Amino acid sequence: MGNAELHSIHVHPVKAFRGQSPREAAVEPWGLAGDRRWVLIDDGGKVVTQRQHPRLALAAAELLPGGGVRLSAQGREPVNVSVPAPMGTTAVEIFGDKVEAVLADEAAHAWCSDYLGAKVRLVHMDDPATRRPVDPDFAHPGETVSFADGFPLLVTTLASLDALNSLIAQGDEAHEGPLPMNRFRPNAVVRGTEAWAEDDWSRIAIGEVTFRVAKMCGRCVVTTTDQVTAERGKEPLRTLGRHRRFGGQLAFGQNLVPEAPGTVRVGDPVTVLE
């Protein structure tokens, strides 16, 4: 790990949309600043992601000053969405969690609904310090998360992706590989490690910021979605099922919880503390 460093940073302002890759990002207790503070919900208040609508991969969300977002997609006029005033909240269901969030304006709902061809609404998490706790089976008291799947950050390594792609090349769906890292939608990508080194991490430092490694990241059907075409295949889940099955989950990457706020930058050294 002597040469390990932060290769790239990824922020997804709207869950399931294409995100951004800044050179640096502030780390807040609930994740990277601006990451997954917005999400789409259906009429019943359930979160809508690429699991239901792979086409969300083709829509982009760009952070605006003050926390708003600019939504865009090929062939459509972009729309700027301001952070809504917290005049009232609506209930959101995300993987069994009940969370309060604030509705965006009607123009945002209309843009997203028209794009998907399904009625959806865009909501904003106004107070991530109080809205949604981290899974208590893996959390310390008071830890919270945005609209990420379950934890503040997800870290992956280039070496493990290379190893996974080598396994895919040996399988019966070899034509689907090699897969790019964007299939896994991480926040932080590390280079300079051995393959699967992250399996043994308990605490790490990225530059000045320390993180607790909460658990392996179990992967879902989103990883089979081409983030450029929105088409679905069978990989990497087929290969993960053969080689990376841990209990009931197919694992790639590790979930992180920040131990204190700070800033991470591309090129920062990555150090294993425990």
Side-chain angles (χ1 to χ4, degrees):
M1 287 291 291
N3 297 318
E5 66 178 28
L6 185 58
H7 171 71
S8 59
I9 298 168
H10 305 276
V11 176
H12 303 89
V14 181
K15 185 178 182 68
F17 282 53
R18 188 166 71 246
Q20 301 172 269
S21 299
R23 298 290 297 177
E24 65 177 55
V27 179
E28 298 173 335
W30 40 84
L32 298 183
D35 187 62
R36 296 173 170 95
R37 291 284 296 275
W38 300 82
V39 74
L40 297 178
I41 59 173
D42 64 16
D43 273 347
K46 290 186 177 181
V47 161
V48 173
T49 73
Q50 289 183 33
R51 293 167 176 84
Q52 301 84 19
H53 292 280
R55 195 161 175 264
L56 284 173
L58 309 183
E62 176 187 354
L63 275 176
L64 298 175
V69 287
R70 180 179 177 85
L71 308 181
S72 62
Q74 186 173 5
R76 295 177 179 272
E77 286 294 320
V79 62
N80 289 353
V81 185
S82 299
V83 172
M87 302 298 292
T89 61
T90 190
V92 173
E93 182 179 339
I94 177 168
F95 307 127
D97 293 340
K98 298 291 187 179
V99 182
E100 294 296 315
V102 184
L103 288 166
D105 58 35
E106 290 299 328
H109 304 332
W111 192 96
C112 296
S113 297
D114 184 61
Y115 175 72
L116 283 184
K119 187 175 180 181
V120 292
R121 294 173 293 167
L122 182 66
V123 299
H124 179 255
M125 184 179 286
D126 60 326
D127 186 9
T130 64
R131 292 297 185 196
R132 184 182 176 213
V134 171
D135 183 341
D137 288 341
F138 301 95
H140 292 172
E143 291 178 342
T144 61
V145 62
S146 65
F147 285 124
D149 277 6
F151 295 87
L153 280 89
L154 170 64
V155 64
T156 58
T157 69
L158 292 179
S160 293
L161 179 63
D162 288 344
L164 177 61
N165 278 324
S166 293
L167 293 171
I168 290 172
Q170 299 166 28
D172 52 8
E173 302 294 336
H175 61 281
E176 291 191 20
L179 303 183
M181 190 64 85
N182 63 10
R183 289 290 187 96
F184 302 95
R185 299 178 65 82
N187 295 114
V189 180
V190 177
R191 65 182 171 197
T193 72
E194 297 294 324
W196 315 121
E198 63 273 23
D199 289 354
D200 299 320
W201 297 348
S202 296
R203 289 180 69 239
I204 65 170
I206 302 177
E208 65 186 39
V209 187
T210 59
F211 300 87
R212 179 172 60 82
V213 181
K215 68 181 290 288
M216 290 181 174
C217 184
R219 310 314 308 216
C220 71
V221 70
V222 171
T223 61
T224 69
T225 307
D226 189 313
Q227 298 294 298
V228 176
T229 67
E231 295 177 356
R232 280 199 172 139
K234 295 180 179 178
E235 293 292 3
L237 292 186
R238 176 161 290 191
T239 296
L240 289 175
R242 291 171 175 168
H243 299 279
R244 295 285 299 169
R245 185 182 294 275
F246 296 87
Q249 65 179 1
L250 311 183
F252 186 87
Q254 292 281 356
N255 292 297
L256 304 181
V257 179
E259 294 184 330
T263 300
V264 292
R265 300 172 178 85
V266 171
D268 276 350
V270 177
T271 308
V272 177
L273 303 177
E274 294 179 17

